[in-house]
Amino acid sequence: MQKSTKKWLAASLVAALVVGFAPQASSATTTINYWYWKENPSSTVVRDLAVKFEAKTGIHVNISDDVTSANYFNNLTNAIAAGNAPDATELNTPQLPQLLKANALAPLNANIKTWSKSSDVTSSLWKWVKSADGKTTYALPWKYLMFLMLYRKDTFAAAGIKVPTTQKEFLAAAAKLYKPDKGQYAFNLRGANGSDQWASFMVAGGAKFTNISGDIAFDSQLTRDANNIYISSYKYAPPSTITSNSGTALVNELEAGVTAMVINHIGGARALKNPANVGFAPIPSRKGGDARTTYMGTMNMNAILNTSKQKDAAFKWISYLAENEAQLAVAQSKEGFLPVTNTVAADPSFKDDAAFQLSAQLAQHPTLAWPTVPGTTIVATTAWAPAMQSALLGKSTSDDMVRAVAAALAQR
C-alpha cells in the first residue's frame, strides 16, 4: 500500500512522462520553463500573465499546463529523475515535503531579502512555504484556499432540512437527502484523490496532525470519531464516488443535482455554471463551527528547481505571480483562490463574492495544514486512496484507515 521514499523519486528514465514545452521565443534574451496545473480547463489567466511579464522583463516563459492535478506530481518527479525538470513549478502543500527531502528545490531566502514586494504578502502565509524547522523558505505563496462545503439550495429546501453545522447533523442530513430512485445522492467522497477533502473534515472534527513537539499525533479518538462519520456517509454516496478523482467532476455532479453536498473550495465555486442554485457553508465540525473551531487550508505555491540554470529569471517570474497585478487577475479568474497579498485581499471587487467572503472568514479561525514532513507526500500520493477504498469496501475498519494514514505520516 505504501512506497518507500527512495522508490518514489527513482523513477525509470525510459518511463519518465515529460510534458512538452512550447517552442522557445527567439527574440527573448532569457527563457524559463514553468509547469502548473489548471484548476479550470478553460482558464488562460497564467498564459496571459506570462505575456505581460515578458513585456515588462524580456523574459519568455514556456508554460506547460496540460497535466491534471491528479497526475501532476508523478510527471514532475519523473521529470526530475530524468533530468528534464522545469525551472519553476507549482506545488501544493502535500507535495512540498518529499521534494525538500530529495533536495530538489532551491532555497529562496536570499532572493526574498531583495524582493521589494515581499512585505505585502500576508505574514501568516509564509509558514506554509518553509522547511519544517521554519528557517528556510523554499517557495513563494501563490494561491491560498480554505475548504468549504458546497450544497444544493433547492435540494435542501425540497427535503425540508437545514444545512448541517455539526458532523452528526451532516450524517443525519445525508440520510434524508439520499433518494437513489430519483438519481439523487447525498455526498460525494471523491475516493481516489480526495485526501485534502477528507482531511479537512477530520480537522473540523478535532483531528491534529502533530502534537506540540512535532510528533505525529493523528491517531486520536477525535480523528476516529470524525472518520467513522465520514465513512458512514458512503452508503448515501453516488456509485462513482469510490473511484472519483476529479474536483471538476464533483462540481459537475453537484450542478446536475446528482449530489447534494461536496467538499471543495473557491476554485470549485468559480467552476459553477449556475451558481444561484449552490450555497456555501463551513465544513460541518464537531461542535458546530464556533470561534474555536479549527479549519484546514492549503497553499498552492511556486518553487524553483535546484537544477535550473536560470534561477534569477525564475525568481522574477514566481515573485511576479505573488505580486498585486497577478494576484488580482488570478483571484478574479476561473482559477479562483484567495489572494496572498494584503492589498488584493482587501479589493472591493470581492465584496459580493460569497465563496470568497466565507473563505476569508474561515481563514480568521485557527487553521491547520498538512505538516511539512515526508509522510505527508506519502499519504497524498500512495497511502490514502487504498486505505480509504479498503475501508469503504468493508475490507478494513474505519479505525484501521486512521492507523494506516497515521503510520504513513510518520514515515521519514
Side-chain angles (χ1 to χ4, degrees):
M1 184 173 68
Q2 301 168 355
K3 296 181 180 178
S4 70
T5 54
K6 290 183 180 178
K7 289 182 179 179
W8 163 83
L9 192 54
S12 166
L13 301 189
V14 176
L17 301 175
V18 182
V19 180
F21 299 122
Q24 293 192 6
S26 59
S27 60
T29 57
T30 303
T31 297
I32 62 168
N33 296 313
Y34 173 68
W35 291 13
Y36 93 106
W37 65 88
K38 289 183 178 182
E39 296 294 334
N40 187 296
S42 65
S43 174
T44 63
V45 63
V46 176
R47 289 183 177 272
D48 295 341
L49 288 169
V51 173
K52 293 181 179 180
F53 175 75
E54 183 171 0
K56 292 174 182 286
T57 65
I59 299 170
H60 180 72
V61 184
N62 277 336
I63 293 178
S64 177
D65 58 7
D66 57 351
V67 176
T68 65
S69 59
N71 299 320
Y72 187 88
F73 195 61
N74 281 341
N75 281 30
L76 178 63
T77 55
N78 287 340
I80 292 171
N84 291 311
D87 295 286
T89 183
E90 178 182 19
L91 300 170
N92 64 25
T93 305
Q95 295 168 349
L96 180 64
Q98 284 282 21
L99 294 180
L100 294 186
K101 182 175 181 179
N103 195 33
L105 303 180
L108 303 179
N109 289 27
N111 302 83
I112 292 169
K113 283 183 179 179
T114 61
W115 177 33
S116 64
K117 306 295 185 181
S118 62
S119 61
D120 198 27
V121 175
T122 304
S123 59
S124 62
L125 301 184
W126 285 109
K127 66 182 179 183
W128 302 71
V129 294
K130 292 179 181 289
S131 55
D133 61 12
K135 295 179 180 179
T136 307
T137 302
Y138 283 97
L140 295 186
W142 184 29
K143 298 187 292 191
Y144 178 55
L145 63 83
M146 299 297 297
F147 291 97
L148 311 173
M149 191 174 79
L150 282 62
Y151 65 94
R152 289 283 305 210
K153 296 178 182 178
D154 52 351
T155 305
F156 270 82
I161 58 175
K162 295 180 179 180
V163 178
T165 61
T166 70
Q167 296 189 344
K168 288 183 179 179
E169 290 173 353
F170 160 80
L171 195 57
K176 294 179 179 179
L177 294 165
Y178 179 65
K179 301 181 186 300
D181 55 323
K182 297 181 179 179
Q184 177 184 304
Y185 301 88
F187 177 66
N188 199 326
L189 294 169
R190 193 177 174 183
N193 185 31
S195 56
D196 277 346
Q197 289 75 15
W198 168 81
S200 67
F201 194 91
M202 299 303 103
V203 168
K208 303 286 189 246
F209 297 112
T210 60
N211 58 25
I212 295 175
S213 301
D215 300 317
I216 300 302
F218 190 69
D219 185 6
S220 69
Q221 190 58 52
L222 291 178
T223 309
R224 293 183 179 202
D225 290 346
N227 197 52
N228 283 333
I229 291 173
Y230 199 85
I231 294 295
S232 296
S233 73
Y234 175 55
K235 57 180 170 285
Y236 308 122
S240 61
T241 196
I242 197 166
T243 56
S244 177
N245 70 355
S246 166
T248 301
L250 294 189
V251 173
N252 289 342
E253 288 192 353
L254 183 75
E255 284 217 280
V258 175
T259 51
M261 299 179 286
V262 299
I263 291 176
N264 208 286
H265 48 71
I266 194 170
R270 293 286 189 271
L272 294 169
K273 298 178 180 65
N274 189 0
N277 287 333
V278 177
F280 311 102
I283 291 172
S285 65
R286 186 165 64 99
K287 293 185 177 180
D290 63 23
R292 295 166 294 177
T293 299
T294 298
Y295 293 105
M296 183 175 166
T298 194
M299 174 70 70
N300 285 27
M301 59 195 76
N302 285 309
I304 298 172
L305 279 296
N306 250 337
T307 51
S308 171
K309 299 185 185 305
Q310 302 286 355
K311 289 186 177 68
D312 287 342
F315 185 82
K316 288 180 180 178
W317 166 241
I318 67 171
S319 61
Y320 169 72
L321 290 177
E323 294 173 3
N324 290 331
E325 180 179 52
Q327 282 293 297
L328 184 61
V330 171
Q332 291 180 334
S333 75
K334 294 179 180 179
E335 294 278 322
F337 287 83
L338 293 174
V340 301
T341 66
N342 295 318
T343 299
V344 177
D347 192 280
S349 63
F350 301 110
K351 157 173 79 70
D352 298 321
D353 187 326
F356 185 99
Q357 292 301 325
L358 177 59
S359 298
Q361 174 189 332
L362 296 179
Q364 301 306 308
H365 281 247
T367 59
L368 280 184
W370 287 104
T372 312
V373 297
T376 285
T377 314
I378 295 169
V379 170
T381 58
T382 64
W384 181 83
M388 167 60 79
Q389 291 170 356
S390 178
L392 294 180
L393 294 173
K395 296 179 179 179
S396 60
T397 68
S398 171
D399 289 357
D400 288 336
M401 178 187 171
V402 171
R403 283 191 287 268
V405 173
L409 268 178
Q411 290 192 43
R412 294 289 185 263

